[in-house]
Structure formats: structure tokens, C-alpha cells
Amino acid sequence: MRRELDSAGTSVVYAAVADWLPGALDPDRLAAALGQDAARLERITQPRLRQRFAASRLLLKSAAAAVLDTPPEDLELAYRPGGRPYLRGVDQLDVSLSHTEEFLVVGLARHGRIGVDIELADRRMLSLGTERQVCTPYELEALRGMAEEDRNRELVRLWTLKEAYSKAIGQGLRFPFTGFGFDPGDQRIRMLRPDGSPVPGGEWSFSSRLLEDEYLVSTAVHDPGFGARPRSIGAPLLAPPLSDPRSTTR
């Protein structure tokens, strides 16, 4: 992560929820590790959601701590009005978090903003009305021109790209996905207007990747001019020993 952040300004890491379950932590130690998020955890009643919430926050704080060379419990995760997470008092590192099923993804950026999103690659979206809520007229036409067996996965990819961008700008699902788009099947991943014409300016960069042959991960990075670009998804992060919170790579 440090090498990627030093060379490109960004790093994206992933982990299985099961690897970050806080089963070895007693309530007091878990509360100390989560900080203010401990109160949010107490309000979650479903065990599976509780586990994923705790695991995702432990992963994010441990990844950031490894980069900042500080104990994870010294970092405080806070949230902007739209729900976008940030590290309180840490201006030199932007963070983003996404999860689906049993996988977690964390994005880190030294310059500008980053957004990440993960979905099951075979999640059913096509023919459910989702495309009308997600796609621009240009994207709808391009999807109709694709082989039928490829359309659903491409729709999932478009969804994750738009989610990643909306997270990066702090809007989430409040941002109208039909107001901007991408070229289905185009690996260059440029942002387009609803009619398919390119959006001017090159300050945003996007990437998508199939992870573990099962999940689609997309990244949106805003480059304010310092050279930050989305990188490939790195190695999975396993929960570190409690005595060494910065031993995070496998």
C-alpha cells in the first residue's frame, strides 16, 4: 500500500469479512478499536450486519494506520452529512469503503478524492427496470447492441462505476445516475454526457476489475493535478495480530 500510494497516490485493498471478524476482542477492546463507531454498532441488531459493520471499520482503520504508521485505535472514523467516511484530523489521506455479501473493499488516496464500489458480478439487474434508473439514453442503446449474455454483467459494471463516482463526491444514491455515463464495453472508461459525448477535462480516472472471479470492483479517483491514478486491486488484507496492528499484508 505504501509503495502504491508513494508512486501513484492511490491504493485499493480487499478482504473477506470472515478474516476481520472481531471474535477475539472482548467488548471493551472492540469498543476501543471502533471508537465512536462502537455506538453505531450497538444500534445494529442483526448479527450478520453487526459482523460486517465491525469488520469493515477494522479493515479501513488498519489499512489507514499501516499507511500513516500509527496504531489503528488512534484513528477516529467520522462521517460527512451524506455518509461519506473520513479520518478525523487526517487531511493527507482520503478513504472510501464498500462491501457486498462477504467481501470488503477499501480505497485510499493521498491527493484528491477516491470512491470504491463492489458488487457480485452476476447480480441480476437486467430486465428488472434497473437499467432505466441507472443508464443514460446512450448507455441503453449501447447495451441493446451487445450480446445478450454480456448485458447484465456490463450493467453491473456501469452501476459500480457510478456508485464509485457518487461516493467520491459524497452523494451516494442521491446523485442521479442517468445524468452521466460511460461507454459500455469501453475499457478506457471515460465519463460521458447522457448523449454519449465526452465530458471535458481529465481530472477523473476510473477503473474496473473482476475480483476472485466473482466480484466487480470499480474505482473513481479525482486527480487535482498531483498525478493520482487508480491502481490495480492489491493483495487481500488479513486481520493482523493484535500485538502488531501494522502487519496487514499477506
Side-chain angles (χ1 to χ4, degrees):
M1 288 186 297
R2 288 176 178 175
R3 286 195 299 270
E4 287 189 342
L5 283 162
D6 289 342
S7 62
T10 64
S11 182
V12 180
V13 296
Y14 69 95
V17 171
D19 290 335
W20 285 82
L21 291 180
L25 297 180
D26 61 46
D28 291 339
R29 295 176 73 189
L30 177 59
L34 292 178
Q36 292 187 4
D37 269 336
R40 297 183 68 187
L41 179 66
E42 288 303 311
R43 295 194 292 269
I44 302 174
T45 59
Q46 297 185 31
R48 185 178 179 185
L49 297 182
R50 284 176 58 86
Q51 291 176 343
R52 192 165 62 187
F53 180 89
S56 63
R57 272 60 186 178
L58 293 174
L59 171 65
L60 191 155
K61 292 179 71 172
S62 291
V67 172
L68 298 169
D69 195 25
T70 188
E73 57 269 22
D74 287 352
L75 298 175
E76 188 65 57
L77 193 62
Y79 302 88
R80 304 199 186 279
R84 189 171 191 271
Y86 70 97
L87 297 170
R88 193 185 303 275
V90 179
D91 296 331
Q92 68 269 35
L93 192 68
D94 194 55
V95 297
S96 183
L97 173 67
S98 182
H99 54 73
T100 186
E101 296 296 328
E102 303 304 320
F103 255 78
L104 311 168
V105 172
V106 167
L108 309 167
R110 283 202 183 277
H111 311 294
R113 288 177 287 185
I114 188 169
V116 295
D117 191 61
I118 181 172
E119 287 288 353
L120 281 167
D122 62 355
R123 175 184 173 184
R124 191 64 187 171
M125 287 188 173
L126 198 66
S127 302
L128 298 177
T130 308
E131 58 267 40
R132 295 288 179 182
Q133 302 172 12
V134 172
C135 295
T136 65
Y138 175 83
E139 289 171 323
L140 288 172
E141 186 64 28
L143 285 173
R144 283 192 286 266
M146 298 182 69
E148 186 173 356
E149 62 269 20
D150 296 332
R151 293 175 190 169
N152 188 78
R153 177 163 291 195
E154 186 58 28
L155 181 57
V156 175
R157 188 175 79 110
L158 293 173
W159 170 272
T160 60
L161 284 167
K162 296 188 179 195
E163 275 269 34
Y165 175 72
S166 64
K167 288 180 179 180
I169 63 175
Q171 293 297 309
L173 294 175
R174 298 175 301 168
F175 195 73
F177 283 4
T178 55
F180 69 104
F182 302 92
D183 194 346
D186 186 355
Q187 299 304 309
R188 292 175 296 174
I189 317 184
R190 299 170 301 164
M191 185 180 287
L192 306 176
R193 295 188 177 98
D195 63 1
S197 60
V199 173
E203 64 271 19
W204 284 95
S205 297
F206 303 90
S207 67
S208 292
R209 179 181 170 182
L210 185 64
L211 181 64
E212 301 285 324
D213 295 323
E214 191 174 0
Y215 300 92
L216 271 170
V217 178
S218 290
T219 307
V221 174
H222 180 258
D223 179 3
F226 299 107
R229 286 291 184 268
R231 297 292 296 239
S232 298
I233 308 301
L237 292 190
L238 296 184
L242 295 179
S243 59
D244 185 3
R246 294 183 294 279
S247 285
T248 53
T249 56
R250 176 162 68 180

